[in-house]
Structure formats: C-alpha cells, structure tokens
Amino acid sequence: MEQQLKQLQTEALTQIETAADLKQLNDVRVAYLGKKGPVTEVLKGMGKLSAEERPKMGALANEVRGAIASAIEAKQTTLEQQAIQEQLAKETVDITLPGRPVKTGNHHPLTRVVEEIEDLFIGMGYSVAEGPEVEKDYYNFEALNLPKGHPARDMQDSFYITEDILLRTHTSPVQARTMEKNTEKGPVKIICPGKVFRRDNDDATHSHQFMQIEGLAVDENISMGDLKGTLETFMKKVFGEDREIRLRPSFFPFTEPSVEVDVSCMCGGKGCNICKHTGWIEVLGAGMVHPNVLEMAGYDSEKYTGFAFGIGAERIAMLKYGIDDIRLFYTDDLRFLKQFSVHE
Ligand code: DAH
C-alpha cells in the first residue's frame, strides 16, 4: 500500500508539472483529490492492514494528499502569473504607431468675410444688430419710404407669406427697427449682417437666398463726407490699402441722395475681365438716410441726419477670394470649402 501511495504521488506530481493551463491543472485536482479519487480508493484496502500499520498508512495518505495539494497550489500560482504576463504582452500599446488625424472644421468663407467686416466696424464704435428674417411688409418696405404700390418695390421680387408678411428682401428693415426701438431718439451706429431672400432664378451671380451687411449711422451733423470716409476705410481694409473708391449717383427710396459705390479693380485700372475693362467694380449701395425714414422712426429730421449702406456679403467674398459662382457658397462642396481651411 505504501508503494501504491508513493506511486500515486509521483504520477500526480508529474501531471501537475506538465499541466499546460489552469483547466488541465483543475482536471488533475479533481482526478487525484476528489472523493472518488485513487487515494481514497487505495485507502479502502486499510481494513486488511494490521493495527500498527493502519495509522501509519493514514498518516502517509494525508502526506500524499498534502503534497499533491501544495504542488497544485504552487503550479496554480505559476500558471496565473503566466496568464497575466501573456495578457500584458498581448495588450501592449505600440506607442510608435502614428496617431489618427483629428478632422477639424473651419469657418465658411462667408462667415469669415462677415466676421472680418464686423470686427472692423466694432473697432469704429458700431454695434452688431439683428432683425427677423420673416419680416413685416411695414418694416421691409413702408418704413423705408416704399409705400404699397410704389414702383420701386419691383426692384426686389419678394417671397410673400401673407399679404403683410414676407421673407425680408434686404437687411434695411433692421435700420427702421433699430431707430424705432431707440427711445432716446439719439445717435445710432449699427452694422447688421443677415440672410435675405428674393424670387430670383439661381445662376452664377444670383441666389434666392444670400447675405447682406447693412450699415447705419445717425447723429447730428453726419455728412456725405462721413459716408465716403467710412466706406473708403472699409474697402481698403477688405481689399487692400492701394484700393480707391468712387461714388456714382443712383436711386434708393430710403436714401437721398443715393449712391452706387465702386472699388478700384485689382488690375490697377489696366482693364481686365473682372472689371469688364472699366477699372472699377460696383460693390454696394448707400446714401444719406431719407428724412421720411427718420421721421417714420420718430426722429427729428431737422436735427439728425445719417448715412446707410447695404452690401452683398457673397459679392465681397467672391471678389476677395476670386470665386466665380455664388452657388458655391450654398452647395457644401468640401473640395471648395477645404480651400478656406486655416489648418492646411
Ligand atoms: N437695401 C438695398 C438693396 O438691397 C441696398 C442698400 C442701398 C442699402 C442703399 C442701404 C442703402 O442701406 O442706403 O438693394
């Protein structure tokens, strides 16, 4: 029996030694130490032994069990450590791999132009005003000296929602709203960028939705000279110090006198396709605020005068960046938009 027990121990220890993973080790545990295992089996033969031999064999059986149990425990610790090491090796982060580039957006070219112009005017003491895109006929036309039935309303084909409500055709209604809101009826200096809408067929130079930037300055003693000086600063800032402006007489119902403003072409007057060989490019409409507009907003037109201007943001961006189709601003073509990325 002693022989058998020693034999079992040797067998078990070899199997423990060669167990490749925790599962195999557990199988060895179940096989040798389980209730129906070989050690128990051998001990069943104890009845045949003499009284002195029995306790000896009992002690030896316990020793064998103990030896097997501690060998299993030791092996288990080794295998567990191994498993952890293997997992760590598998999960090692390769810090030499290049990172994935993070895609960042950038400002739309129109936003850029608008913000640049806003900054310039804020620097000259203007504040930025806003008004509704769905506007009352009253502010879009009437308060700007364009009564119902006035022929000049045809200059701007409109999207009407009801008889009295329309999508604003220009940012000029913000002039009327701002002056009306000003309870002190004192000086006003605002710039107002915003979307406007007209019933136009879209093509390279027309869009049914576009952006305007309106300007308004009202105070005592504002003159045409102030308008010209302001616009000259504006144009030089946007297009370059070497640019000049010129004013041509024009007509807008809300200004008197009214002017069309041209900026000198980048060809320097030699003549090119952009200026159609005239050396000048038309960029905006402006004028001295009509006394009727001041009076309708509650201002004393004997005391106050003002100038106003309205400019197409797309037109400025097109001239500044050499863009030849207004639809590019609204079709979200990434090949176009990416050219304005500050990151590349
Ligand atoms: N509202 C005009 C338009 O959309 C542009 C304009 C012209 C605005 C003269 C003004 C101005 O404030 O004084 O065509």
Side-chain angles (χ1 to χ4, degrees):
M1 184 174 282
E2 189 178 340
Q3 205 53 42
Q4 272 180 309
L5 285 173
K6 292 230 160 116
Q7 171 78 18
L8 274 177
Q9 178 170 350
T10 320
E11 261 174 43
L13 292 184
T14 324
Q15 285 193 31
I16 291 165
E17 191 48 47
T18 53
D21 55 31
L22 288 166
K23 179 168 178 324
Q24 275 180 26
L25 186 66
N26 199 44
D27 291 345
V28 178
R29 183 205 320 273
V30 174
Y32 284 89
L33 300 181
K35 278 209 180 102
K36 290 177 190 151
V39 181
T40 321
E41 213 44 49
V42 171
L43 289 178
K44 275 185 187 160
M46 287 259 265
K48 291 180 200 141
L49 297 177
S50 66
E52 307 106 71
E53 283 226 85
R54 247 181 250 160
K56 267 204 236 158
M57 281 309 121
L60 181 62
N62 280 340
E63 231 173 75
V64 170
R65 274 175 190 278
I68 295 175
S70 54
I72 288 177
E73 207 174 302
K75 182 72 177 180
Q76 177 153 356
T77 317
T78 318
L79 286 177
E80 275 170 0
Q81 284 300 330
Q82 234 172 39
I84 291 172
Q85 290 307 329
E86 271 167 28
Q87 189 159 8
L88 280 177
K90 223 168 37 197
E91 290 177 2
T92 311
V93 177
D94 180 357
I95 55 164
T96 63
L97 270 181
R100 293 196 194 99
V102 179
K103 284 190 184 137
T104 47
N106 53 281
H107 281 159
H108 191 277
L110 265 184
T111 309
R112 274 220 219 168
V113 165
V114 169
E115 286 185 354
E116 188 184 332
I117 295 170
E118 274 178 12
D119 284 350
L120 168 67
F121 278 93
I122 288 170
M124 297 199 286
Y126 285 65
S127 44
V128 177
E130 279 186 353
E133 287 164 13
V134 178
E135 184 55 286
K136 290 187 172 147
D137 181 279
Y138 175 77
Y139 291 109
N140 196 79
F141 291 126
E142 275 183 65
L144 297 171
N145 203 28
L146 271 147
K148 285 210 157 79
H150 192 289
R153 285 189 175 212
D154 290 346
M155 285 163 77
Q156 302 175 0
D157 270 338
S158 321
F159 287 113
Y160 273 94
I161 290 167
T162 68
E163 209 162 297
D164 292 316
I165 296 174
L166 74 162
L167 298 183
R168 69 179 175 193
T169 57
H170 50 182
T171 42
S172 304
V174 185
Q175 288 186 30
R177 283 181 172 274
T178 308
M179 287 193 285
E180 192 186 77
K181 253 198 318 223
N182 184 334
T183 46
E184 282 148 34
K185 303 299 168 199
V188 166
K189 273 166 103 182
I190 53 151
I191 184 107
C192 164
K195 295 189 190 95
V196 300
F197 309 84
R198 291 193 195 170
R199 265 179 40 203
D200 261 332
N201 289 327
D202 293 359
D203 62 24
T205 51
H206 295 86
S207 173
H208 62 278
Q209 179 202 306
F210 59 103
M211 269 198 101
Q212 282 192 337
I213 304 169
E214 192 81 15
L216 173 72
V218 175
D219 206 339
E220 291 174 47
N221 302 319
I222 291 232
S223 73
M224 198 86 174
D226 297 318
L227 171 63
K228 187 169 184 203
T230 305
L231 292 178
E232 203 164 72
T233 311
F234 175 13
M235 290 301 142
K236 283 180 186 291
K237 177 79 200 307
V238 174
F239 292 115
E241 284 302 315
D242 54 334
R243 299 298 187 95
E244 309 275 325
I245 63 165
R246 74 174 184 189
L247 309 186
R248 282 180 292 110
S250 183
F251 171 79
F252 297 103
F254 27 91
T255 43
E256 179 59 36
S258 301
V259 289
E260 211 80 66
V261 181
D262 297 341
V263 65
S264 59
C265 185
M266 59 189 146
C267 69
K270 276 187 239 119
C272 69
N273 280 340
I274 294 170
C275 62
K276 300 195 183 81
H277 300 278
T278 62
W280 295 95
I281 307 165
E282 187 186 317
V283 280
L284 61 94
M288 300 305 292
V289 181
H290 196 292
N292 287 354
V293 174
L294 289 167
E295 294 288 339
M296 271 186 280
Y299 272 76
D300 179 356
S301 65
E302 294 292 324
K303 188 173 169 201
Y304 284 99
T305 50
F307 67 71
F309 59 87
I311 184 162
E314 287 83 356
R315 184 150 170 77
I316 298 293
M318 286 167 87
L319 290 168
K320 191 174 161 77
Y321 297 121
I323 299 164
D324 60 5
D325 194 325
I326 194 170
R327 289 168 294 195
L328 285 167
F329 292 113
Y330 294 105
T331 39
D332 292 340
D333 186 336
L334 287 178
R335 291 168 303 179
F336 168 71
L337 295 173
K338 274 188 180 156
Q339 295 177 52
F340 299 91
S341 169
V342 286
H343 309 291
E344 284 170 296

